[in-house]
Each structure stands twice: as structure tokens, then as C-alpha cells.
Amino acid sequence: MSAAPAATVDYPPLPAPNFRQRVAVWSMILKTSLGERLVYRGDFALGTLMRFMPIITQIFLWYAVYDSIGAAEGDNPAEIGGFRFRDMVAYYLLTMIARAFSSMPGLASGIAQQIRDGEVKRYLIQPIDLVTFLLLTRVAHKLAYYVIAVAPFALVFFLARDYFVDGWPSLPVFLAFCASLIMGFLIGFFLEAAIGMIGFWFLEVSSLLFVIMLFSFFLSGHMFPLTMLPEEFLWFVNFLPFKYLAYFPAAIFLGKIPEDQLAMEMWIEVAWLVFFIILCRVAYARGVKRYSGFGG
Amino acid sequence: MNELQRYGRVFLTFARNSLVRDMTFRANFVLQCVSSLGWTAMNVGFYLIIFEHTTSIGQDTGWDRDRFFLFIATTWFINSLVQAFFMPNAQEFSEMIRTGGLDFALLKPIDTQFLISFRKVDWSQLSNFFAGGLIAVVSLWNLAHREVDPMIPSALTVALYVLFLICGVMIMYSLMIALSATSVWLGRNQSLYNFWFYITNFSRYPMEIYNHGWGRPLFGLFTFVIPILLVVNVPARILAKPLSPRADWEWALVAWAAVVTVLSLLASRWLFRKSLLSYRSASS
């Protein structure tokens, strides 16, 4: 007998990509997303600067509040939750940096939508992992954002330098601040991605998303330093992971976290990060098992 | 038929159509109400936390907790009215300029500004009007039943309050129409909502807080040039009466707010017509 016709030949499966090929794929994703983001840079920079405007109102509101309980400025300034007036302004500015790392606009809803309209099939067929792909596009988007946003941020921080009463923190504290920003980014990513995975179980997640976003906005410390909360809530809010999205990095920078507790607090954050990575992975694996795609 | 009645009927038709549309997607409508109310609840929580630490906003300004919440309620009334009646229309106006859809609005036998301003009503935003009502009732109740110097507003005060609330809405409307008219020249105005949010942010707190240091230029700018500080402050001061007895400058402020309402309506009308003259259709 002659050899079987070519059409029936069973090709061996492709070998798993080696590390170099993986890196090549990753850098390609990064490059594409970077390019995509840098198209609208002028609009972007102006938008970033505008985003500081609500802080102006906050500064005056807090000045009035501190003024009515004691002195807002001077040698013996009043304190609320361990924050003086100037700390409060510095706090709002620093949470802007923290949010620039941890906010993930459209991530959860995007995942839920890809599940709903079946686009998620792509990741089941192509040799790209959904979570890795999304993480890399986010990294690229964030990098592009920082490249452009660094100028308006620097300008605002320069203008507001007097509000940082204690100046730069010590080197270890500063390193902890940087680490908390990066972990804030990762926690923000895996938290939102995990929420998006709920889309495998429920078709409509926008209402659930909204409730979670509301809680995260309030409990992350974006509106006010969490230490202002009454004792009976504070211990509970401190236990939640939302604080890593805004409050925690700012509090580190301003030295509001005692240095002997800092290491412990950082390890707790690492634990939360690991928890969310596992949660996200498990949810994805389980979700894919449930998922059924039809048609092309 | 009387011209005014005709416009009234057209507006009622617009309002009814919007309501029919909203009721078609009822779950979505409820969701939008709930999300607006959630946002409100969060803000109220924030202010309650502030008043855990202080008794008033600013020294000797008289904005204690109950009066400040009356202020917040006023903000909520005005913002919900603006967002229900004008916000969806202003956004659509910018879009119409970009796509050339304004051609059809210009052809209709009705005043173009009227048509542009009132075409849609976002009924779900009115949920915040009721939230504002609730806040107002609670703070008025507290003010009337407090032991030290209780306050019950007179009928005249309430009438003036409603009048200047409407003035506030009209100032906001003028600003919004003026802003969206600029999209004729800019071509595209996607950040309209953002800009609107940032500007109106200044109206949310008692104006006294800007009256020191580098806040004074802002105070002047937002009282005399872009008069958004008057929008909430004037009606809220009338009703909450933070200073007792009232200071003379408060009456001057009220009179200025009345003048400003007329001026800003005229100015925005002028700007709107000016922008229509520069409109070049976008169709091919």
C-alpha cells in the first residue's frame, strides 16, 4: 500500500513554546498596546491635569474643617485621625498616584463582556492565556499613561511641595511605598479580573460590579483617610483588601504606618495578592470548564 | 393656539416619550436609580464622618451639621434637575454637531434652542431629587427640634428658596448650553461631561471656604465671571440661615444672583445663536 493521502496525516501537536518564544509574544503584546495608547497623548496630558481640579475643592473644604476645630496651620495644628491639614492635602495627592496604579477602568466589565459575546473562545484556541494577555495589555496601558502623566503629576507635586511637611521619607519607607504601588497595581488587576470571571456564572454583572466599585471607592480611602472612620468600623475596614488600592501607599509615604509594623503590613499585602492571584486562576479554570461556545 | 401653550405641549410630549423609553427597559431604569442613590449615600456617609470630627464647616460661618445638610440637599435638588432635564440633551447636542444631525433640528418649525434643550428627559436622575428631599426633611426636622435656638423657616423664606432654586437651575442650564455650544467651534467635545463636573464641583460647598489666601481669586472668578458659586449658595443661605441675624452682604448676594440669572440666560442665548451661525453641516 502506498502512503496515506496527505489530508489524513495526523500532525503531531505543536511543541509548547519555549521561554524565548513566550517573551517574544509578551513583548509584541506590550508594543502593540503601547502604540495604541500613545496616539491621543495631548488630550491625555490635559485630561490628567484636569483630574487634579476636584482636589482644589477638597483642600478648601478641609481647611474650613480644620479651621473650625483649631488651627489649620502654624505651630500647633489640629489633627483628624492622625492627619494635620497639610498631611490631608498631601494625602489626596498621593492617593492620585496610588489610583494611577491600582485603578483598572473597564477590566471586569470587559472580561464579562468577552465571556458573554463569546470572544473568550479565542483564548481557548490560540496559545495565549487570557489573564496573561490582559495583564500585559494593562501594564502597557499603564506604562503609556505614566510616560505622559509624569509631566502633569510632576507639575502639581512641585506646586504643592509645601504640603509635604516632613519631606521625603527614609529610603526603606520609600522602597516600601514603591512596592506597595506595584502590589496595588497587581491587587487591583487580579481583584477586578476575578470579579469579571463572575461572568462565567451570571450573564449580567454590571449591577454587581457597580456595588463593588462603590464599596471599593469608599473603603479604599479615595475619599478620606481611613483612620477618620469611627473605631467600630475601622478595624473591619483595615482587614479588607480595598485599602491597598489608595490608602495604604499614601499612608506609607506620609509615615502614618509605624516603621516597626511596616514589614508585617507589607507581608499581609503580599498574602492578599497571592490570594487574589489564586482566586482569579481558580475562577478562570472553573469558568472555562462551564463555558460552552457555539458557532464561529 | 397660544405660543407658550404649544411649547408646553411639545415639552410634555418629549417628557412622555422619554418616560415610555425608560419604562421599556425597566430593570435598567431601576439599576440607574439605585446607582445614583448609592452615590448619594456614599457622599452623605462622607459628610457624616466629617461631622464626627467637627461641629461646623469653617469658623463662625454657621454651617453646622443640620444646616450643612440642608446645603447638600439643595445641591442635590439642583444637580438632579439639571442632570434629568439638560445633561442628556447637552451631550446629544455635541454629538449632533459632530455627525451633522443638527441639520434636521434646524429644519423643524420650532425654536432650535428649545428643541435642543428639552428633547430628552432622564427620569432616573430624579431619584436623587427624592434623596435630596429626604435629606432636607431630616435636617429641617432636626433644626426645628433642636434645643438651642430652634429654627422653622417662614413661608416667605420657603417661597424665596424655591424661586432661587429655580434661578440656580437656570444658571446651570446657561452654563451647560454655553459649554456645549462651544463644540461647534471645537468640532468634538467629548470631555464636556468631565469639564462640567470639574467646574460645578466648586458649587458644592459653602462659598465662605474659598474666602482666604489663594482661594480669593477663585471666589471672585466663580461669583462674578462664571457665577456657579451662587447656584447653590444663595438658595441654601436663604433657607438654612447660617448667620443670625442675616448680614447685609447676604441680601446683596441674593440681588446679584437674580441679576446673574437674567444675564447668564441672555449670554448663553446669544452664544448659542452665534454658534449656530458658525455651524457648517457635517454631511457629505
Side-chain angles (χ1 to χ4, degrees):
Chain A
M1 285 282 276
S2 60
T8 62
V9 169
D10 208 6
Y11 288 105
L14 285 169
N18 63 30
F19 187 70
R20 223 194 56 209
Q21 286 163 324
R22 273 178 206 228
V23 171
V25 171
W26 293 343
S27 66
M28 185 48 108
I29 299 173
L30 265 174
K31 251 189 252 167
T32 328
S33 317
L34 258 174
E36 189 182 279
R37 271 297 144 125
L38 288 172
V39 178
Y40 303 104
R41 48 189 168 260
D43 199 37
F44 220 48
L46 199 67
T48 310
L49 201 58
M50 294 278 279
R51 233 174 260 184
F52 284 100
M53 275 179 71
I55 290 187
I56 297 175
T57 4
Q58 293 294 56
I59 293 178
F60 284 104
L61 175 71
W62 284 109
Y63 187 91
V65 169
Y66 278 95
D67 197 34
S68 52
I69 58 171
E73 291 177 287
D75 293 333
N76 196 11
E79 276 191 22
I80 298 178
F83 283 76
R84 293 159 292 178
F85 165 65
R86 289 188 172 252
D87 293 335
M88 194 64 92
V89 178
Y91 175 82
Y92 278 108
L93 292 172
L94 285 166
T95 55
M96 291 289 284
I97 296 189
R99 293 291 295 188
F101 278 81
S102 67
S103 74
M104 299 285 152
L107 177 62
S109 53
I111 294 178
Q113 196 190 344
Q114 287 199 336
I115 295 168
R116 200 171 49 232
D117 57 25
E119 216 191 304
V120 77
K121 276 201 292 279
R122 192 151 75 105
Y123 302 99
L124 305 181
I125 299 164
Q126 294 170 355
I128 299 175
D129 170 61
L130 170 76
V131 180
T132 315
F133 178 76
L134 288 174
L135 182 63
L136 286 171
T137 30
R138 278 292 151 169
V139 170
H141 285 185
K142 290 285 178 194
L143 284 178
Y145 176 73
Y146 303 142
V147 168
I148 298 156
V150 72
F153 265 88
L155 175 70
V156 170
F157 275 77
F158 175 75
L159 290 175
R161 62 196 179 281
D162 287 344
Y163 289 108
F164 293 83
V165 186
D166 302 326
W168 288 91
S170 66
L171 187 66
V173 174
F174 186 73
L175 289 177
F177 169 69
C178 296
S180 74
L181 285 180
I182 292 168
M183 283 201 279
F185 165 75
L186 291 169
I187 289 181
F189 177 83
F190 285 104
L191 169 75
E192 277 229 16
I195 295 168
M197 300 295 174
I198 298 174
F200 280 115
W201 284 268
F202 302 103
L203 272 184
E204 189 43 60
V205 292
S206 56
S207 48
L208 187 72
L209 266 183
F210 183 81
V211 172
I212 295 173
M213 290 308 130
L214 213 60
F215 272 103
S216 120
F217 192 70
F218 198 73
L219 301 177
S220 66
H222 192 54
M223 287 182 95
F224 56 88
L226 295 177
T227 43
M228 277 182 69
L229 283 167
E231 277 300 321
E232 56 267 38
F233 298 116
L234 183 60
W235 70 270
F236 181 66
V237 173
N238 245 327
F239 175 73
L240 295 175
F242 294 119
K243 67 172 178 179
Y244 299 115
L245 304 178
Y247 169 76
F248 192 61
I252 293 179
F253 191 95
L254 294 172
K256 302 298 171 193
I257 304 212
E259 279 193 46
D260 51 325
Q261 289 171 29
L262 191 54
M264 188 62 201
E265 291 279 340
M266 294 300 285
W267 282 114
I268 298 175
E269 184 171 8
V270 172
W272 270 114
L273 175 57
V274 172
F275 168 77
F276 280 117
I277 293 177
I278 294 174
L279 181 71
C280 182
R281 281 286 163 194
V282 170
Y284 183 52
R286 291 267 175 108
V288 166
K289 277 208 184 110
R290 274 181 56 96
Y291 179 77
S292 41
F294 304 97
Chain B
M1 203 197 307
N2 175 331
E3 188 76 359
L4 204 64
Q5 261 179 349
R6 195 167 68 97
Y7 276 89
R9 276 187 43 183
V10 172
F11 174 65
L12 282 182
T13 314
F14 287 153
R16 200 173 49 232
N17 284 349
S18 306
L19 191 62
V20 168
R21 217 188 103 81
D22 275 347
M23 289 301 121
T24 319
F25 307 102
R26 222 163 286 188
N28 184 55
F29 179 78
V30 171
L31 207 71
Q32 277 176 336
C33 291
V34 170
S35 52
S36 315
L37 290 176
W39 176 251
T40 307
M42 210 170 71
N43 275 283
V44 169
F46 173 58
Y47 298 127
L48 283 174
I49 288 170
I50 287 186
F51 280 103
E52 285 280 302
H53 298 276
T54 182
T55 50
S56 81
I57 300 287
Q59 219 173 359
D60 303 325
T61 53
W63 290 110
D64 55 27
R65 196 186 68 185
D66 296 324
R67 289 195 164 88
F68 183 72
F69 270 97
L70 217 45
F71 188 98
I72 296 300
T74 313
T75 312
W76 250 249
F77 285 141
I78 292 176
N79 278 355
S80 63
L81 288 175
V82 170
Q83 281 175 357
F85 292 103
F86 305 124
M87 196 72 209
N89 297 302
Q91 272 169 334
E92 194 160 287
F93 180 46
S94 311
E95 194 57 21
M96 280 164 99
I97 290 165
R98 198 176 64 83
T99 57
L102 188 59
D103 297 4
F104 301 101
L106 289 171
L107 290 174
K108 302 254 163 47
I110 197 165
D111 183 79
T112 310
Q113 188 176 349
F114 174 83
L115 183 66
I116 296 298
S117 313
F118 294 100
R119 177 135 50 172
K120 257 198 211 162
V121 179
D122 188 351
W123 288 96
S124 64
Q125 290 299 330
L126 287 181
S127 55
N128 268 344
F129 191 87
F130 293 105
L134 190 67
I135 300 171
V137 167
V138 171
S139 21
L140 280 172
W141 174 270
N142 283 345
L143 277 171
H145 289 80
R146 59 163 66 179
E147 282 176 10
V148 187
D149 127 64
M151 187 194 80
I152 298 172
S154 66
L156 177 69
T157 312
V158 175
L160 275 176
Y161 176 72
V162 174
L163 178 69
F164 279 92
L165 201 71
I166 295 168
C167 285
V169 172
M170 290 202 275
I171 296 174
M172 288 292 229
Y173 164 74
S174 312
L175 183 66
M176 183 172 274
I177 278 291
L179 265 180
S180 53
T182 55
S183 42
V184 167
W185 293 291
L186 299 178
R188 188 167 193 175
N189 209 344
Q190 279 216 315
S191 51
L192 179 72
Y193 185 79
N194 287 342
F195 192 67
W196 170 253
F197 175 77
Y198 295 139
I199 288 277
T200 54
N201 209 13
F202 285 97
S203 70
R204 288 175 51 185
Y205 298 123
M207 60 203 300
E208 295 95 320
I209 68 171
Y210 300 105
N211 199 6
H212 70 87
W214 56 277
R216 289 223 174 87
L218 287 175
F219 183 91
L221 174 71
F222 290 128
T223 309
F224 297 107
V225 185
I226 310 173
I228 45 165
L229 270 183
L230 303 172
V231 170
V232 183
N233 271 281
V234 169
R237 291 198 85 90
I238 290 174
L239 187 61
K241 202 182 175 195
L243 295 180
S244 176
R246 290 187 201 273
D248 287 341
W249 60 267
E250 288 187 282
W251 291 116
L253 202 68
V254 170
W256 173 237
V259 174
V260 154
T261 309
V262 177
L263 283 182
S264 55
L265 278 177
L266 289 176
S268 65
R269 174 84 179 161
W270 176 80
L271 196 72
F272 182 82
R273 299 185 74 121
K274 195 92 183 149
S275 76
L276 285 189
L277 288 180
S278 310
Y279 171 68
R280 296 164 300 171
S281 178
S283 56
S284 51

